[in-house]
Amino acid sequence: MWRCHCALACAPETPTGRTGIGLTYTASGGSGGSGGSGAKDANGYWVFDAKSLAYLGTTESALLEVGVTDEKGEAAADPS
């Protein structure tokens, strides 16, 4: 049986200093046999902008840019 515990935090901060809404979870369960213990522990928060809900990063890493390409390995176009 799987069990999940979720938690929200007000104003966690990314390494670049941006704050927002934080979400963390701990899930445990699954097969305890050959598949391992099945336990997963949360490590920090996923941080989202409080107004737009855009993903900003985690409490340990920050998302600085997002780009879209047609092919793997291409550089994204400059948005300006």
Side-chain angles (χ1 to χ4, degrees), residues 6-78:
C6 297
L8 289 174
C10 295
E13 192 172 292
T14 67
T16 58
R18 297 180 294 177
T19 60
I21 298 169
L23 174 67
T24 188
Y25 72 93
T26 302
S28 63
S31 64
S34 62
S37 68
K40 304 275 185 198
D41 292 324
N43 190 11
Y45 286 87
W46 292 331
V47 183
F48 299 88
D49 182 82
K51 290 186 180 181
S52 70
L53 299 179
Y55 177 68
L56 301 177
T58 70
T59 51
E60 298 167 358
S61 64
L63 181 66
L64 301 177
E65 287 186 53
V66 175
V68 178
T69 66
D70 291 329
E71 298 291 329
K72 181 179 176 181
E74 284 185 355
D78 187 3

